[in-house]
Amino acid sequence: EVVCYRSILASGAAARAAAARATVLVVSSPSVAALLADVCRPDGRPDLVAVGPTTAGTARDRGWPPAAVASLPNAVAVTSAIQSVLAKR
């Protein structure tokens, strides 16, 4: 067995600090959406863009509904979702 890729979640403190500096967060993983929702206070959360329905569902279930969900998991769709969120500001 060869490990070629490993995903490790940031600590709660690191995730909270990153979110505090953001205007828009792009989240492409249900586990990251859950982490951020658990550690970020509702009154200090930036807009969230989910890269798909599973990640969006996890964010909603944790009380942080996404401001937008990318229509496809690619750069063009994610960029479009971010632009739609920023246009509403």
Side-chain angles (χ1 to χ4, degrees), residues 37-50:
D38 290 348
V39 301
C40 295
R41 293 181 23 217
D43 62 341
R45 293 175 174 168
D47 288 323
L48 186 73
V49 171

Side-chain angles (χ1 to χ4, degrees), residues 1 7 10 12 24 33 56 63 78 82:
E1 180 178 319
S7 176
V24 176
V78 172
I82 294 168

Side-chain angles (χ1 to χ4, degrees), residues 25-54:
L25 284 175
V26 177
V27 182
S28 61
S29 158
S31 59
V32 173
L35 170 66
L36 288 166
D38 290 348
V39 301
C40 295
R41 293 181 23 217
D43 62 341
R45 293 175 174 168
D47 288 323
L48 186 73
V49 171
V51 182
T54 304

Side-chain angles (χ1 to χ4, degrees), residues 3-89:
V3 176
C4 296
Y5 171 81
R6 182 181 310 174
S7 176
I8 300 171
L9 282 176
S11 69
R16 189 173 33 256
R21 296 187 309 267
T23 301
V24 176
L25 284 175
V26 177
V27 182
S28 61
S29 158
S31 59
V32 173
L35 170 66
L36 288 166
D38 290 348
V39 301
C40 295
R41 293 181 23 217
D43 62 341
R45 293 175 174 168
D47 288 323
L48 186 73
V49 171
V51 182
T54 304
T55 301
T58 297
R60 275 189 213 95
D61 291 348
R62 297 291 182 122
W64 192 348
V69 180
S71 59
L72 293 168
N74 64 39
V76 172
V78 172
T79 300
S80 178
I82 294 168
Q83 289 172 335
S84 74
V85 170
L86 293 176
K88 295 175 189 174
R89 293 181 146 257

